[in-house]
Amino acid sequence: MSSAPDTSAGQAGGFRLSMLLNDTRYRGLTFQFIALAVIIFLMFWLGTNLVRNLAAAGLNISFRFLGETANYDIGQSLIEYSSQSTHMRAAMVGLLNTLLVAFLGCVLATIIGVTAGVLRLSKNWLVARLMSAYVEAFRNVPVLIWILVIGTVVSLGPSPKVYLGDDPERGLFLGLFAFTNRGLTAPAPVFGPGSLWVVLTLVASIIGVIAYLKHRKKTLFSTGTLLPTWPVPALLIVPTVLVFFILGQPIKLDMPDPLANRFNLQGGFEIGRPLIALWLALSVYTGAFIAENVRAGILAISKGQTEAAAALGLRPRRIMNLVVLPQALRVIIPPLISQYLNLTKNSSLAIAVGYTDITATLGGITLNQTGRAIECVLLLMLFYLLISLSISAVMNVYNASVALKER
Amino acid sequence: MSDTHAESVAYVRDTFIPQQEPPVREKGVVKWMRENLFSSVPYTILSLLALWAIWSILSSFLPWLLNGVWNASSLSECRETLDGARGGCFAVLSERWNQLLFGFAYPSEFYWRPTLAFVLLFAAAAPVLVPMLPRKLLIFTLVYPFLAYWLIWGGTIVAPIMGLVGLIVGAVVFQTLSHRGFAIGVLGAVISAIAIWWIGGSLAGGPLSGVMALEQVESAKMGGFMLNMILGTVCVSLSLPFGILLALGRQSKLPIIRVFSVCFIEFIRGVPLITLLFVANVVLAYFLPPGTNFDLILRVIIMITMFASAYIAEVIRGGLAALPRGQYEAADSLGLDYAQAMRLIILPQALKISIPGIVNVAVGLFKDTTLVSIISMFDVIGMIRGPILSSTEWSGVYWELYGFAALMFFVICYGISQYSQWLERRLATDHR
């Protein structure tokens, strides 16, 4: 079948049919043609099957269901949502929930992973062993089991009733937080008039701090004098606090109130139990992998670098900050980003603890209610694909920017 | 010399001081502890924190483990036996042991069949895993998949035998034709194998269906840890050849093949496994000819194999890229064609470099087989969350069950990764 289009060319010169298979100049073309034919045939076969199956089931491909009323509730949503909203809206809620838990997870996983990775290299025998045990335990057990286990741990929290009444069994933690089997209740900030200025001052002080640190580094490198670090916290805290009190405390805290309601804590905002469970599980699980990456990155820096820095008279912390880490980061960041990607993909297991991410809304309830399997799964895959491709695009840009400029 | 000193110095020692033990703080446990645990203030704090963590874990874990109840028929009976003391209710494991391992539907009189298949798995894996063993044992490895299929699913032995015969005939045809070119050899092998399989299929379905037949067990009855093992081993072994092909495709100079491989790999790697399982569960049936009835386990195997081969392809691509260009050029200059160069020069080296990565993928894949519980298949997690935890006797026994499942996975995954480190050291041919 492959030779048909090429025979006309064969008559032109000294071309024989067997050259299609035996001549390296043409063999590639033959194989590509066969591959293309197979792929097209496969697509055609799948496509006709799809059409015939859909016709037999009386279905069609249509995304109109996204505009219909969803008729189901979602526990935690970042945007306005009720059971009267559309399936599209439900999918958006799920999407934002996925992004939320992925973001929170990446932050916490990085903190846990870097700490564990550095401690695993520590000369303290006990701590190093403890961290090895943590890493091995989490890397070798499926993430689904960890999600279920941590989901169970979180669900064993006390009922909100222990915090209620005039003489509660338990006081609020630090007077602010309540851990219950419904989740974590924390004070919610209420922004009054004038709070914009407080926020702006905070932003300005952060910019100031960054500028100061840059200036500090510059003077260190150009003159050798090291400016003090105390202006950093001062710059960060003093102006904001001043503005806060001058404007008459415009930001207030809405505290969880044990007395307002007989069944649950009122006030504050509640982080739902599923979110906490999934967040912790993903962070601790991914943290173990990040710890390995961090350890490998630090070990990849040759000992000569540390010794050379020590010979120059740098103190151990300086050696870490100025010599080892900048080089190790180049090794650590690419696998770190792929761990972030894994965390995002693993967040699709949210359904196991009842967190309504996009897999649970679009790929779960919406799919079951509307029966639009192909459309829902297609949208779901596209969404994850979009996240993955954008993260790998970021990674490529980063890799290009830190690649060693050699020759 | 000493004479002059005898004049000026009051006392000169002329005997050795008897040898003494080193100070306590410079030897033995004390020295080790000073150096490794309490060398500075921050380290001391860290050590104390670690000790506290270990103590608090052990103080609640050990009584739970040692005081556990192994004989009871329900959680309430466990609690009665414990009488308020702290202890685990491991009776659930002994009572539901078979369900955890084989699922709830596999006929109990045939438990010996998957057990035997599991034991034989070690025998089949040994020649691959331990290079010291004689090569002839690989024959059993070749036979094993068909034997295991026959044992687990049952049915007539004609089907697996014809499967094996098809494979062997294919290999023989390839050997005889391969001197006329790799492509012709492959084509001939595939055609003859398919012909044998087709004949075998009609024989096993028709006249010979009763020959040495074991009682047939449908796929829907597979469950428990057996299901995880089946999915893990089948998908990892199937994904290796596909992964190699995809990796070669991605490195290929032929644009159509390269673009196809890149698209496939990036698409699969970009979506979570659970969406692929959704595809297996609810979408794949739409793409198959009307009336075909693939069972779920087969659809899941297809999707997980696709998933794993994309990841393995990326690992092998890394191995191919790590080979120095000189190897490719040397193969070319010897006059080897593409198939020969890959088979004899490039792939053996590239695969060796890729072993750690392949093992990582295999371990990850084996762990990911638990995801099938989300599309309501009853693997070990599905059994725990479904029939066991929702039964009246055992609702609320979380730690024992999850702990058991975690331990099973830990033992296998940790074992595999230790093995791969050993193999890496063994295969190391560079002098470092």
Side-chain angles (χ1 to χ4, degrees):
Chain A
M1 63 178 174
S2 64
S3 54
D6 290 303
T7 37
S8 56
Q11 287 149 1
F15 186 86
R16 293 179 314 280
L17 221 87
S18 61
M19 281 168 80
L20 277 178
L21 213 53
N22 294 330
D23 191 321
T24 42
R25 284 171 300 175
Y26 305 114
R27 188 155 54 178
L29 284 176
T30 320
F31 280 137
Q32 294 207 64
F33 185 80
I34 296 175
L36 192 66
V38 169
I39 293 169
I40 290 176
F41 172 75
L42 211 65
M43 292 287 174
F44 180 73
W45 185 69
L46 293 176
T48 39
N49 282 340
L50 178 66
V51 170
R52 282 167 65 191
N53 280 320
L54 285 177
L59 285 169
N60 59 343
I61 299 280
S62 142
F63 290 93
R64 213 165 286 155
F65 71 95
L66 286 173
E68 288 163 16
T69 313
N71 280 327
Y72 61 88
D73 284 313
I74 292 181
Q76 179 143 15
S77 73
L78 292 174
I79 52 176
E80 205 68 38
Y81 176 83
S82 75
S83 59
Q84 296 307 307
S85 307
T86 58
H87 282 297
M88 184 71 192
R89 190 85 177 164
M92 286 301 294
V93 171
L95 192 153
L96 289 174
N97 277 347
T98 296
L99 293 178
L100 172 72
V101 76
F103 174 74
L104 291 176
C106 287
V107 173
L108 188 60
T110 313
I111 297 171
I112 295 176
V114 171
T115 317
V118 171
L119 284 183
R120 205 177 167 191
L121 288 172
S122 131
K123 287 194 196 73
N124 188 322
W125 184 86
L126 199 60
V127 173
R129 285 305 124 92
L130 201 61
M131 287 303 139
S132 303
Y134 155 69
V135 168
E136 293 300 342
F138 276 83
R139 268 160 46 100
N140 287 313
V141 171
V143 62
L144 184 60
I145 294 186
W146 284 120
I147 291 178
L148 290 171
V149 165
I150 293 182
T152 313
V153 172
V154 176
S155 73
L156 293 178
S159 120
K161 281 191 181 148
V162 300
Y163 292 99
L164 301 181
D166 290 320
D167 182 24
E169 279 174 60
R170 269 192 213 193
L172 297 178
F173 183 69
L174 300 176
L176 299 171
F177 303 101
F179 303 98
T180 67
N181 55 9
R182 288 161 168 247
L184 172 70
T185 310
V190 178
F191 295 95
S195 49
L196 182 66
W197 291 107
V198 182
V199 176
L200 282 182
T201 321
L202 186 66
V203 172
S205 354
I206 291 173
I207 296 174
V209 164
I210 295 172
Y212 176 75
L213 287 177
K214 272 202 167 158
H215 171 68
R216 183 167 174 263
K217 198 170 173 183
K218 207 173 153 197
T219 39
L220 175 67
F221 282 8
S222 55
T223 66
T225 43
L226 191 57
L227 298 175
T229 46
W230 62 261
V232 173
L235 214 56
L236 208 57
I237 296 169
V238 176
T240 315
V241 172
L242 271 182
V243 171
F244 180 71
F245 282 103
I246 289 171
L247 288 176
Q249 309 185 16
I251 303 178
K252 291 202 171 52
L253 283 180
D254 177 22
M255 305 288 276
D257 185 0
L259 299 175
N261 187 313
R262 282 179 49 216
F263 301 106
N264 198 5
L265 289 162
Q266 203 165 357
F269 75 101
E270 200 178 71
I271 309 173
R273 187 183 86 199
L275 173 58
I276 294 180
L278 186 69
W279 175 33
L280 289 182
L282 289 177
S283 315
V284 184
Y285 180 78
T286 314
F289 287 85
I290 293 180
E292 276 299 89
N293 294 336
V294 169
R295 189 175 79 112
I298 294 177
L299 284 179
I301 307 308
S302 84
K303 202 146 172 54
Q305 296 284 326
T306 324
E307 286 166 352
L312 286 175
L314 293 184
R315 276 180 275 146
R317 234 187 70 199
R318 285 273 161 71
I319 296 179
M320 199 61 171
N321 286 340
L322 298 176
V323 178
V324 176
L325 272 187
Q327 300 185 67
L329 276 185
R330 185 177 293 134
V331 186
I332 294 172
I333 299 251
L336 184 69
I337 293 178
S338 80
Q339 290 304 335
Y340 289 165
L341 202 55
N342 282 345
L343 189 146
T344 312
K345 287 191 278 176
N346 281 338
S347 74
S348 59
L349 298 180
I351 206 166
V353 282
Y355 181 65
T356 39
D357 73 331
I358 190 160
T359 312
T361 55
L362 186 64
I365 312 175
T366 296
L367 192 156
N368 286 337
Q369 276 193 6
T370 59
R372 297 268 171 200
I374 301 175
E375 295 89 334
C376 287
V377 174
L378 191 70
L379 285 177
L380 196 60
M381 286 180 147
L382 279 181
F383 162 71
Y384 281 110
L385 207 57
L386 207 64
I387 294 187
S388 304
L389 291 182
S390 33
I391 291 183
S392 33
V394 170
M395 187 161 98
N396 288 341
V397 170
Y398 172 82
N399 276 345
S401 72
V402 298
L404 282 177
K405 311 283 187 300
E406 284 180 295
R407 278 177 285 174
Chain B
M1 282 289 274
S2 57
D3 289 340
T4 45
H5 281 295
E7 311 289 311
S8 56
V9 181
Y11 171 74
V12 174
R13 178 181 286 283
D14 49 10
T15 53
F16 277 111
I17 303 175
Q19 208 166 24
Q20 282 185 337
E21 290 277 293
V24 175
R25 49 191 292 186
E26 284 302 320
K27 66 163 189 178
V29 184
V30 180
K31 177 180 187 230
W32 182 86
M33 278 174 61
R34 275 173 58 86
E35 277 180 0
N36 289 301
L37 298 182
F38 306 108
S39 56
S40 67
V41 176
Y43 268 17
T44 310
I45 296 174
L46 267 182
S47 296
L48 292 178
L49 274 177
L51 277 177
W52 173 81
I54 294 174
W55 185 81
S56 54
I57 291 172
L58 286 188
S59 65
S60 55
F61 179 70
L62 278 184
W64 175 79
L65 187 69
L66 300 176
N67 209 8
V69 178
W70 289 89
N71 266 320
S73 60
S74 71
L75 181 60
S76 47
E77 204 181 315
C78 266
R79 293 208 171 117
E80 264 170 43
T81 321
L82 282 170
D83 199 22
R86 180 188 277 278
C89 183
F90 299 108
V92 65
L93 300 183
S94 37
E95 213 219 33
R96 298 292 176 108
W97 180 251
N98 286 330
Q99 285 198 352
L100 286 168
L101 290 192
F102 303 106
F104 62 91
Y106 203 89
S108 55
E109 64 270 29
F110 299 138
Y111 282 159
W112 62 271
R113 281 162 38 180
T115 315
L116 183 63
F118 178 69
V119 173
L120 289 178
L121 174 64
F122 289 96
V128 184
L129 300 184
V130 188
M132 282 89 85
L133 288 173
R135 300 284 83 192
K136 276 190 179 160
L137 289 178
L138 279 172
I139 294 176
F140 180 68
T141 312
L142 185 69
V143 174
Y144 177 76
F146 302 97
L147 186 63
Y149 173 82
W150 181 58
L151 280 173
I152 295 177
W153 272 270
T156 169
I157 201 170
V158 174
I161 283 183
M162 289 308 274
L164 186 60
V165 167
L167 210 62
I168 293 170
V169 168
V172 170
V173 169
F174 174 74
Q175 282 295 332
T176 43
L177 286 182
S178 61
H179 66 93
R180 299 187 52 192
F182 182 77
I184 293 182
V186 170
L187 198 67
V190 168
I191 291 175
S192 49
I194 288 178
I196 300 272
W197 286 333
W198 185 73
I199 297 169
S202 46
L203 278 181
L208 298 180
S209 59
V211 179
M212 278 190 75
L214 291 175
E215 185 93 22
Q216 205 144 15
V217 182
E218 298 123 55
S219 297
K221 292 186 176 170
M222 310 285 154
F225 200 69
M226 180 177 76
L227 184 60
N228 295 102
M229 288 296 295
I230 292 176
L231 291 177
T233 45
V234 170
C235 295
V236 168
S237 13
L238 284 181
S239 62
L240 258 177
F242 286 115
I244 294 175
L245 285 182
L246 279 172
L248 291 178
R250 193 168 184 168
Q251 292 270 314
S252 160
K253 292 189 194 75
L254 312 174
I256 293 178
I257 293 177
R258 191 176 60 233
V259 167
F260 173 77
S261 308
V262 169
C263 289
F264 181 85
I265 292 174
E266 290 304 325
F267 173 74
I268 297 280
R269 277 162 41 92
V271 298
L273 178 57
I274 188 72
T275 57
L276 293 177
L277 292 180
F278 281 162
V279 169
N281 194 17
V282 290
V283 177
L284 201 58
Y286 285 110
F287 288 99
L288 298 173
T292 41
N293 195 13
F294 268 35
D295 53 14
L296 184 56
I297 201 170
L298 192 58
R299 285 180 278 162
V300 164
I301 285 178
I302 293 175
M303 293 319 283
I304 298 185
T305 304
M306 279 167 67
F307 180 77
S309 26
Y311 280 81
I312 286 188
E314 279 301 272
V315 170
I316 293 177
R317 182 172 76 118
L320 289 172
L323 279 193
R325 265 200 75 74
Q327 296 292 329
Y328 293 85
E329 287 161 1
D332 282 347
S333 67
L334 283 176
L336 302 181
D337 66 12
Y338 179 78
Q340 287 169 325
M342 286 300 146
R343 219 152 32 102
L344 302 173
I345 311 271
I346 306 299
L347 277 181
Q349 302 183 68
L351 289 180
K352 194 181 86 177
I353 307 176
S354 328
I355 284 177
I358 292 176
V359 170
N360 271 344
V361 173
V363 167
L365 184 81
F366 181 57
K367 291 190 296 175
D368 280 347
T369 55
T370 50
L371 263 60
V372 297
S373 65
I374 292 192
I375 55 166
S376 49
M377 283 172 85
F378 291 98
D379 75 320
V380 68
I381 300 294
M383 284 305 298
I384 292 175
R385 295 185 70 199
I388 299 182
L389 277 180
S390 61
S391 68
T392 45
E393 298 94 8
W394 301 114
S395 77
V397 199
Y398 299 108
W399 309 119
E400 292 79 0
L401 289 166
Y402 288 143
F404 167 76
L407 187 70
M408 297 282 267
F409 279 99
F410 181 83
V411 167
I412 292 181
C413 297
Y414 189 71
I416 297 177
S417 61
Q418 291 299 311
Y419 161 76
S420 103
Q421 285 174 17
W422 173 81
L423 189 66
E424 225 176 298
R425 282 195 299 274
R426 228 196 92 91
L427 288 180
T429 44
D430 52 349
H431 307 282
R432 268 209 272 182

